[in-house]
Amino acid sequence: MSQVRVRFAPSPTGFFHIGSARTALFNWLYARHTGGTFVLRIEDTDKERNSEEFLNVIYDSLRWLGMEWDEGPGKGGDFGPYRQSERDAIYKEYLEKLKAAGRTYEKDGAVYFKLLGERSEVFDEHRKKTVTKVANTPAIIDDQIRGRVERIEDEDFVIVRSDGSPVFHFVNVVDDIAMKITHVIRGEDHLSNTSKHVELFKAFGVPVPKFAHIPLILKQNGPGKMSKRDQGALIEEYQRRGYLPEALVNFLSLLGWNPGDDREKMPIAEIIRLFDLPGVNQSNARFDDKKLAHMNMTYLLELPEEKFLELARVYFEKQNVFTAGWPAETYFREVIALAHPKIKGIEELPAYTKYFFTEDFVIDDKVRAKVLSKGEPKARLAELIELLRTADLSSDLAIEDAIKKLAESKSLGFGDYQAVARLAVSGTNVGPSITGMFRVLGREKVLARLERFGATL
Ligand code: GLU
């Protein structure tokens, strides 16, 4: 195991969204790539805004995406506890260190961190008050993604509020020190905090970890950063919709990173092998739900039949599709196998397969009008009924053969029978092959539907 220790440090103040998942993923990938340790640390010091519900969503989502943590809640480790709300004693101990080094003072009940350098009183136009400025030297951040960034902290800042609660910058740095974090990989929105963090690391007399600030994810349409309120932002929504976690992880990995060529679909082992911080882009990535849906479809298509069937079963169960009882196992299996190569997402399955499971399906008016406007559908239907009474329906090929022979005998084509037959048995003009539909539905249902529809002509 290498010395690399990274951490994902979410604040459980909202549902787990695309941006958080991507930050978690880049940390996890870096840990797996380097053979290092992936730590999960919960930054739950803001008691008002944290909730256990959000916490469980974080755990569930990380596990669902396959990002098991090596240390953290429920897992243990040498540097626990891993929830900041349980680390008061550690923060007190570290505060004492800063006090002993003469780097703190109290003002109005709050504890301030004292920067090094000459102080002077300056009137701040913006804030309309006199503030104490410190002639400090700039902090140099050698960011693994952004390159060299220089920022100056020129005002002392609060590290413990007057109510005794420690501030984010303080606990974040203390924990990175105490947990021996070597690389801080996080969203670019934290770049502006980093100079404060560097000052604190230095004050504690410890080496500054390497920083890597990941570019933002822009919302799909329009300017600005994607937020948890944006459509498609929440991870659990994809879980609910039957997306494949492997597809989501692959998609997330490409939000701000690429393997150095234009490959997109890659097994996770390959992503781990190729992922590195210098490979992360500096420019922002734009969220694209169509790209995600397409990625998911390519993964679904490759899924072995058994796995696809299992996903379908779970989805139908969750959606409570079969309120009047489940269809026979072999029948369900055959229907799902027919739909597998045709659908873009699991969530399409119930509507796509509806007419296999009920006689109560709608005949699309527009399709009906179109189909009936051509040729002699009534005659074709009658011929087909005649044929299907005795034809061999045991394989798609046999069915195709029979219909072709019938068509030839009338100097017509397969298509002359197909549209009207499809409409009669499914109510629409899209779906799996008509031969597959006949085979799976079986003689009895097919004949009943053709006759029922024929009677309306
Ligand atoms: N708790 C911070 C957040 O959720 C993470 C800060 C960090 O990664 O350093 O944004």
Side-chain angles (χ1 to χ4, degrees):
M1 196 169 261
S2 81
Q3 295 303 305
V4 168
R5 291 177 57 82
V6 292
R7 84 299 193 276
F8 173 52
S11 305
T13 55
F15 287 107
F16 196 60
H17 57 98
I18 293 273
S20 303
R22 201 258 321 237
T23 301
L25 178 63
F26 282 17
N27 276 283
W28 182 85
L29 284 173
Y30 193 64
R32 295 296 170 263
H33 175 77
T34 56
T37 305
F38 176 56
V39 179
L40 175 62
R41 177 172 85 222
I42 303 299
E43 304 215 318
D44 58 348
T45 49
D46 186 348
K47 292 185 186 65
E48 250 82 293
R49 294 174 60 221
N50 289 309
S51 94
E52 285 301 307
E53 187 197 355
F54 291 145
L55 205 56
N56 286 325
V57 173
I58 294 173
Y59 299 153
D60 288 349
S61 299
L62 283 174
R63 290 206 176 100
W64 179 64
L65 292 170
M67 292 185 239
E68 263 307 321
W69 50 101
D70 306 313
E71 286 177 25
K75 212 41 184 234
D78 294 342
F79 306 93
Y82 290 90
R83 288 177 65 163
Q84 290 187 330
S85 56
E86 295 167 5
R87 295 173 63 80
D88 275 353
I90 295 163
Y91 304 137
K92 289 215 170 73
E93 183 193 318
Y94 274 78
L95 185 63
E96 288 311 316
K97 289 190 196 186
L98 278 190
K99 278 187 182 161
R103 296 299 301 273
T104 66
Y105 60 88
E106 278 188 43
K107 198 171 97 184
D108 306 328
V111 180
Y112 279 74
F113 174 65
K114 194 166 150 193
L115 295 168
L116 300 178
E118 289 283 314
R119 261 137 244 274
S120 55
E121 302 293 307
V122 175
F123 186 75
D124 186 315
E125 287 295 338
H126 199 68
R127 283 179 284 174
K128 303 255 177 294
K129 64 172 188 179
T130 304
V131 293
T132 308
K133 289 280 178 195
V134 183
N136 190 13
T137 45
I140 292 160
I141 303 145
D142 186 16
D143 196 277
Q144 304 281 294
I145 295 167
R146 310 229 46 105
R148 186 186 155 105
V149 180
E150 258 186 49
R151 267 173 203 269
I152 187 154
E153 282 305 314
D154 61 0
E155 277 178 44
D156 297 338
F157 54 90
V158 174
I159 51 175
V160 182
R161 296 184 196 88
S162 50
D163 67 2
S165 61
V167 168
F168 161 72
H169 304 298
F170 180 69
V171 292
N172 184 269
V173 168
V174 166
D175 285 347
D176 284 342
I177 297 171
M179 295 178 180
K180 298 200 174 0
I181 299 302
T182 58
H183 293 70
V184 171
I185 305 170
R186 61 185 172 191
E188 200 184 88
D189 44 335
H190 284 292
L191 187 59
S192 58
N193 296 325
T194 305
S195 42
K196 285 193 178 66
H197 299 181
V198 168
E199 294 295 348
L200 285 166
F201 280 111
K202 284 193 194 149
F204 281 112
V206 296
V208 178
K210 291 206 159 56
F211 288 101
H213 286 93
I214 320 170
L216 301 178
I217 301 174
L218 302 176
K219 59 172 88 197
Q220 178 135 0
N221 303 304
K225 179 185 157 189
M226 187 164 187
S227 86
K228 20 190 161 203
R229 283 169 299 280
D230 284 317
Q231 174 88 23
L234 300 185
I235 296 298
E236 62 184 313
E237 196 181 304
Y238 297 101
Q239 192 173 6
R240 188 178 53 70
R241 288 169 60 191
Y243 270 64
L244 290 175
E246 306 88 295
L248 194 51
V249 163
N250 194 155
F251 169 82
L252 288 171
S253 77
L254 298 171
L255 280 176
W257 174 81
N258 63 67
D261 51 41
D262 50 15
R263 254 180 315 163
E264 299 221 304
K265 185 169 182 292
M266 282 172 291
I268 191 66
E270 185 68 355
I271 299 175
I272 290 172
R273 191 175 72 79
L274 295 169
F275 185 85
D276 207 355
L277 293 176
V280 176
N281 305 332
Q282 286 198 13
S283 51
N284 294 332
R286 191 176 291 279
F287 179 72
D288 180 349
D289 63 354
K290 288 200 190 64
K291 184 172 170 181
L292 172 52
H294 186 263
M295 181 69 83
N296 187 53
M297 185 187 74
T298 58
Y299 273 85
L300 278 177
L301 279 174
E302 277 186 8
L303 219 56
E305 218 46 77
E306 282 308 309
K307 287 234 171 90
F308 187 82
L309 184 69
E310 195 42 43
L311 271 183
R313 202 192 317 276
V314 169
Y315 191 75
F316 275 72
E317 253 159 23
K318 269 202 278 184
Q319 298 293 312
N320 206 11
V321 174
F322 302 122
T323 41
W326 273 73
E329 177 58 28
T330 43
Y331 184 69
F332 183 69
R333 177 184 289 267
E334 285 186 337
V335 173
I336 298 304
L338 265 193
H340 186 176
K342 296 288 189 173
I343 53 137
K344 291 196 200 68
I346 291 284
E347 60 194 322
E348 290 178 3
L349 271 179
Y352 190 84
T353 60
K354 181 163 184 212
Y355 56 87
F356 282 99
F357 302 116
T358 175
E359 293 303 313
D360 183 21
F361 58 89
V362 199
I363 305 271
D364 186 307
D365 282 339
K366 276 203 193 110
V367 178
R368 187 178 199 275
K370 202 170 146 199
V371 170
L372 296 186
S373 70
K374 274 186 284 201
E376 296 168 273
K378 194 173 171 144
R380 300 295 82 81
L381 216 50
E383 289 156 13
L384 210 48
I385 289 169
E386 204 44 47
L387 175 83
L388 296 176
R389 279 196 220 285
T390 53
D392 174 7
L393 301 187
S394 62
S395 77
D396 291 19
L397 221 59
I399 299 168
E400 191 178 328
D401 231 37
I403 299 176
K404 274 191 179 152
K405 283 217 179 78
L406 169 65
E408 266 166 39
S409 75
K410 309 277 176 194
S411 302
L412 294 166
F414 188 89
D416 292 297
Y417 292 89
Q418 189 188 211
V420 67
R422 182 183 288 283
L423 179 66
V425 297
S426 72
T428 176
N429 58 353
V430 291
S433 70
I434 189 77
T435 52
M437 282 162 69
F438 283 0
R439 172 176 52 78
V440 172
L441 280 164
R443 195 182 316 274
E444 202 183 320
K445 278 200 200 103
V446 172
L447 283 176
R449 289 182 189 187
L450 295 182
E451 278 164 7
R452 203 167 62 219
F453 185 75
T456 70
L457 298 180

Short mmCIF file of all heavy atoms in Angstrom, two decimals, residues 390-409:
data_model
loop_
_atom_site.label_atom_id
_atom_site.label_comp_id
_atom_site.label_asym_id
_atom_site.label_seq_id
_atom_site.Cartn_x
_atom_site.Cartn_y
_atom_site.Cartn_z
N THR A 390 -52.94 -22.41 -37.83
CA THR A 390 -52.21 -23.69 -37.90
C THR A 390 -50.70 -23.54 -38.04
O THR A 390 -49.97 -24.51 -37.90
CB THR A 390 -52.71 -24.52 -39.10
OG1 THR A 390 -52.63 -23.69 -40.26
CG2 THR A 390 -54.15 -24.98 -38.90
N ALA A 391 -50.22 -22.31 -38.33
CA ALA A 391 -48.78 -22.14 -38.62
C ALA A 391 -47.91 -22.52 -37.41
O ALA A 391 -48.37 -22.48 -36.27
CB ALA A 391 -48.51 -20.70 -39.02
N ASP A 392 -46.67 -22.87 -37.72
CA ASP A 392 -45.69 -23.20 -36.68
C ASP A 392 -45.21 -21.89 -36.03
O ASP A 392 -44.56 -21.07 -36.68
CB ASP A 392 -44.52 -23.95 -37.34
CG ASP A 392 -43.40 -24.20 -36.37
OD1 ASP A 392 -43.57 -23.92 -35.15
OD2 ASP A 392 -42.33 -24.69 -36.81
N LEU A 393 -45.52 -21.70 -34.75
CA LEU A 393 -45.14 -20.45 -34.07
C LEU A 393 -43.98 -20.66 -33.09
O LEU A 393 -43.75 -19.86 -32.20
CB LEU A 393 -46.34 -19.86 -33.30
CG LEU A 393 -47.60 -19.51 -34.09
CD1 LEU A 393 -48.60 -18.79 -33.19
CD2 LEU A 393 -47.28 -18.64 -35.29
N SER A 394 -43.25 -21.75 -33.28
CA SER A 394 -42.24 -22.08 -32.27
C SER A 394 -40.94 -21.28 -32.43
O SER A 394 -40.17 -21.18 -31.49
CB SER A 394 -41.93 -23.57 -32.31
OG SER A 394 -41.39 -23.89 -33.58
N SER A 395 -40.70 -20.71 -33.63
CA SER A 395 -39.50 -19.89 -33.77
C SER A 395 -39.77 -18.70 -34.67
O SER A 395 -40.67 -18.75 -35.52
CB SER A 395 -38.35 -20.71 -34.35
OG SER A 395 -38.54 -20.86 -35.75
N ASP A 396 -38.99 -17.63 -34.48
CA ASP A 396 -39.17 -16.42 -35.28
C ASP A 396 -39.02 -16.74 -36.76
O ASP A 396 -39.74 -16.21 -37.61
CB ASP A 396 -38.15 -15.35 -34.90
CG ASP A 396 -38.43 -14.79 -33.50
OD1 ASP A 396 -39.16 -15.46 -32.74
OD2 ASP A 396 -37.93 -13.70 -33.19
N LEU A 397 -38.06 -17.63 -37.03
CA LEU A 397 -37.77 -17.97 -38.43
C LEU A 397 -38.96 -18.67 -39.09
O LEU A 397 -39.35 -18.35 -40.22
CB LEU A 397 -36.55 -18.88 -38.47
CG LEU A 397 -35.57 -18.58 -39.60
CD1 LEU A 397 -35.06 -17.15 -39.50
CD2 LEU A 397 -34.42 -19.58 -39.61
N ALA A 398 -39.55 -19.60 -38.35
CA ALA A 398 -40.70 -20.34 -38.87
C ALA A 398 -41.85 -19.38 -39.15
O ALA A 398 -42.53 -19.47 -40.19
CB ALA A 398 -41.13 -21.41 -37.87
N ILE A 399 -42.05 -18.43 -38.24
CA ILE A 399 -43.15 -17.47 -38.40
C ILE A 399 -42.89 -16.58 -39.62
O ILE A 399 -43.77 -16.36 -40.46
CB ILE A 399 -43.32 -16.61 -37.12
CG1 ILE A 399 -43.66 -17.51 -35.92
CG2 ILE A 399 -44.40 -15.55 -37.32
CD1 ILE A 399 -43.58 -16.82 -34.58
N GLU A 400 -41.67 -16.12 -39.73
CA GLU A 400 -41.30 -15.25 -40.84
C GLU A 400 -41.53 -15.97 -42.17
O GLU A 400 -42.08 -15.41 -43.13
CB GLU A 400 -39.84 -14.83 -40.71
CG GLU A 400 -39.47 -13.71 -41.67
CD GLU A 400 -38.02 -13.27 -41.50
OE1 GLU A 400 -37.50 -13.33 -40.38
OE2 GLU A 400 -37.43 -12.89 -42.53
N ASP A 401 -41.10 -17.21 -42.18
CA ASP A 401 -41.25 -18.05 -43.37
C ASP A 401 -42.70 -18.18 -43.80
O ASP A 401 -43.05 -18.01 -44.97
CB ASP A 401 -40.73 -19.44 -43.01
CG ASP A 401 -39.73 -19.91 -44.03
OD1 ASP A 401 -38.95 -19.04 -44.50
OD2 ASP A 401 -39.75 -21.12 -44.36
N ALA A 402 -43.54 -18.46 -42.81
CA ALA A 402 -44.97 -18.66 -43.09
C ALA A 402 -45.59 -17.39 -43.66
O ALA A 402 -46.34 -17.43 -44.64
CB ALA A 402 -45.68 -19.09 -41.81
N ILE A 403 -45.25 -16.24 -43.02
CA ILE A 403 -45.85 -14.97 -43.49
C ILE A 403 -45.33 -14.63 -44.89
O ILE A 403 -46.08 -14.19 -45.76
CB ILE A 403 -45.58 -13.81 -42.51
CG1 ILE A 403 -46.19 -14.14 -41.13
CG2 ILE A 403 -46.15 -12.50 -43.03
CD1 ILE A 403 -45.91 -13.12 -40.05
N LYS A 404 -44.06 -14.90 -45.12
CA LYS A 404 -43.48 -14.62 -46.45
C LYS A 404 -44.15 -15.45 -47.53
O LYS A 404 -44.46 -14.95 -48.62
CB LYS A 404 -41.98 -14.88 -46.44
CG LYS A 404 -41.19 -13.68 -45.96
CD LYS A 404 -39.72 -13.89 -46.22
CE LYS A 404 -38.92 -12.68 -45.76
NZ LYS A 404 -37.55 -13.06 -45.39
N LYS A 405 -44.38 -16.71 -47.21
CA LYS A 405 -45.03 -17.60 -48.20
C LYS A 405 -46.43 -17.09 -48.52
O LYS A 405 -46.84 -17.05 -49.68
CB LYS A 405 -45.10 -19.02 -47.64
CG LYS A 405 -43.78 -19.74 -47.70
CD LYS A 405 -43.98 -21.24 -48.03
CE LYS A 405 -42.63 -21.94 -48.12
NZ LYS A 405 -42.07 -22.22 -46.75
N LEU A 406 -47.12 -16.71 -47.45
CA LEU A 406 -48.48 -16.18 -47.64
C LEU A 406 -48.43 -14.94 -48.55
O LEU A 406 -49.20 -14.81 -49.51
CB LEU A 406 -49.09 -15.81 -46.27
CG LEU A 406 -50.39 -15.00 -46.28
CD1 LEU A 406 -51.53 -15.81 -46.91
CD2 LEU A 406 -50.78 -14.57 -44.86
N ALA A 407 -47.48 -14.02 -48.24
CA ALA A 407 -47.36 -12.79 -49.02
C ALA A 407 -47.07 -13.10 -50.48
O ALA A 407 -47.69 -12.52 -51.39
CB ALA A 407 -46.27 -11.92 -48.42
N GLU A 408 -46.15 -14.02 -50.69
CA GLU A 408 -45.79 -14.38 -52.07
C GLU A 408 -46.99 -14.91 -52.83
O GLU A 408 -47.22 -14.55 -53.99
CB GLU A 408 -44.70 -15.45 -52.06
CG GLU A 408 -43.31 -14.87 -52.18
CD GLU A 408 -42.23 -15.89 -51.83
OE1 GLU A 408 -42.40 -17.07 -52.21
OE2 GLU A 408 -41.26 -15.50 -51.15
N SER A 409 -47.75 -15.75 -52.16
CA SER A 409 -48.91 -16.35 -52.82
C SER A 409 -49.93 -15.29 -53.25
O SER A 409 -50.75 -15.52 -54.13
CB SER A 409 -49.57 -17.39 -51.92
OG SER A 409 -50.30 -16.74 -50.90
#
